[in-house]
């Protein structure tokens, strides 16, 4: 219970670090359609903004949405098809 008498559903570290909803690597992986290991690598390299905790990474929903939007708009143009050689 908090000082005001209500219970909180998120740990205090999450409330201080993030304003919106928070996802774990498994949830982010499901949304991105990749493995949790890949999400952890994105967090470690800073490509996906996240907060490191003792139990893993916490990713703000808005950061994941921004990452997805950026990724879909930065895809390289498809290489031209290689023509068959005689």
């Amino acid at each position: 219970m908090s000082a005001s008498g209500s219970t909180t559903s998120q740990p205090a570290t999450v409330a201080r670090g993030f304003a919106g909803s928070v996802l774990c690597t498994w949830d982010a992986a499901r949304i991105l359609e990749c493995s949790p290991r890949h999400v952890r690598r994105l967090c470690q390299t800073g490509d996906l903004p996240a907060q490191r905790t003792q139990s893993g990474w916490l990713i703000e929903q808005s950061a994941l949405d921004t990452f997805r939007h950026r990724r879909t708009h930065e895809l390289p143009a498809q290489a031209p098809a290689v023509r068959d050689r005689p």
Side-chain angles (χ1 to χ4, degrees):
M1 292 180 90
S2 68
S4 64
S6 64
T7 60
T8 59
S9 61
Q10 296 179 342
T13 55
V14 174
R16 282 193 302 255
F18 294 113
S21 64
V22 179
L23 303 169
C24 66
T25 54
W26 286 92
D27 292 333
R30 183 181 47 80
I31 292 167
L32 294 176
E33 297 179 350
C34 65
S35 71
R37 182 178 182 183
H38 183 67
V39 172
R40 286 190 296 272
R41 275 192 235 126
L42 292 170
C43 295
Q44 289 168 348
T45 61
D47 292 331
L48 178 57
Q51 182 177 352
R52 178 83 171 154
T53 66
Q54 290 180 347
S55 61
W57 291 94
L58 297 177
I59 303 146
E60 191 172 4
Q61 178 69 48
S62 62
L64 186 67
D65 292 341
T66 300
F67 176 81
R68 289 173 55 198
H69 179 73
R70 186 180 68 221
R71 187 176 72 165
T72 57
H73 291 288
E74 290 181 0
L75 291 176
Q78 284 189 334
V82 177
R83 295 181 1 183
D84 293 335
R85 296 181 185 190

